[in-house]
Amino acid sequence: KLEYSQWYEFNNAQRTHYNFVEQIGVLVAMMILGAVSFPIVTGCIGWLYFVGRVLYSLGYASKGPNKRFVGAITLNFAAVLLMITGLISSLKVLFS
């Protein structure tokens, strides 16, 4: 049986993992779409997302949900950029 502090740490780590699993499908789809027309840009944005994900995971798992802010902003910014590149790439392919 876990003490409350151990349970809290486990729960934070588990929520970090679930969050990643929930987003990985959309992330891969956006990266594939963006990489059709912008492979290098999409790769760079993918690395930015990765850095944000690491910051998010470290902050959330070690210090709780209030310390995930920097990572969340970084990975959400990268996700928006991936959506934009995917949309532009899709439109380029569709109308060319």
Side-chain angles (χ1 to χ4, degrees):
K1 296 187 180 193
L2 298 175
E3 295 180 15
Y4 179 77
S5 63
Q6 293 171 322
W7 175 86
Y8 184 75
E9 289 175 10
F10 174 76
N11 187 48
N12 287 340
Q14 189 176 36
R15 281 304 317 145
T16 300
H17 173 71
Y18 285 159
N19 183 267
F20 176 73
V21 170
E22 291 166 356
Q23 293 184 6
I24 191 69
V26 176
L27 173 73
V28 169
M30 289 187 299
M31 288 191 75
I32 290 171
L33 286 174
V36 170
S37 296
F38 310 107
I40 293 177
V41 172
T42 302
C44 293
I45 297 170
W47 275 106
L48 179 65
Y49 185 90
F50 173 75
V51 168
R53 174 57 60 191
V54 169
L55 292 173
Y56 179 90
S57 298
L58 290 175
Y60 200 144
S62 65
K63 299 174 186 148
N66 294 331
K67 300 298 179 184
R68 63 186 172 173
F69 184 73
V70 173
I73 293 297
T74 305
L75 69 90
N76 286 331
F77 176 69
V80 168
L81 291 177
L82 285 172
M83 283 190 275
I84 292 170
T85 58
L87 178 64
I88 292 171
S89 180
S90 299
L91 292 174
K92 281 178 70 175
V93 169
L94 189 63
F95 292 114
S96 63

